[in-house]
Amino acid sequence: MHHTITRARLLSRRASGRTIIAIHGELDIATTAALRDRILTTLANTTTPVIIDLSAVSFCDASGLALLVGTQRRAALHGVTLTLAAPRPNVTKLLRITGLDRAFTIHPTLSAAQLGRPRTHHRTAA
């Protein structure tokens, strides 16, 4: 089934031993279902660490946050590490006020994510 996404698009590629999923546009209730399908297909077909590049996400609502959390859970089920890269200030603020900045490893840039230099570390229970 092919989904047409007018307000968001997703590009995935492999680079430096990682799978990079770049989301462009709005991450909201109108776009998340189609994006989820593509992300889950990508996760099912990779064993490399995954970086979600948020640098081109112009808007994110609760359904977008739910997509990110669900993607992280699915990645963990596949034994794949997932990190976020380069969220814009509005997305960074949303992650911070919801407390999700503590649930993800977040890198300030895609380059930093590829090098594994986090800005925020994922907290794990002892």
Side-chain angles (χ1 to χ4, degrees), residues 33-80:
L35 290 172
R36 180 179 298 107
D37 291 345
R38 299 222 17 234
I39 290 170
L40 294 181
T41 298
T42 301
L43 285 177
N45 293 306
T46 191
T47 57
T48 63
V50 173
I51 299 168
I52 297 182
D53 179 2
L54 298 173
S55 63
V57 172
S58 57
F59 176 80
C60 183
D61 69 6
S63 61
L65 293 178
L67 172 67
L68 295 175
V69 170
T71 300
Q72 182 184 47
R73 288 181 181 153
R74 184 62 60 101
L77 288 173
H78 287 283
V80 172

Side-chain angles (χ1 to χ4, degrees), residues 26 40 42 68 77 83 88 107 124:
E26 298 178 6
L40 294 181
T42 301
L68 295 175
L77 288 173
T83 59
R88 290 183 178 182
H107 300 269
T124 56

Side-chain angles (χ1 to χ4, degrees), residues 71-122:
T71 300
Q72 182 184 47
R73 288 181 181 153
R74 184 62 60 101
L77 288 173
H78 287 283
V80 172
T81 307
L82 180 120
T83 59
L84 304 180
R88 290 183 178 182
N90 60 325
V91 176
T92 297
K93 181 178 179 181
L94 186 60
L95 290 166
R96 190 181 69 250
I97 64 174
T98 59
L100 289 173
D101 61 332
R102 295 183 306 271
F104 288 97
T105 299
I106 304 171
H107 300 269
T109 65
L110 180 57
S111 296
Q114 289 175 296
L115 294 172
R117 296 183 182 153
R119 176 182 71 202
T120 303
H121 294 279
H122 171 77

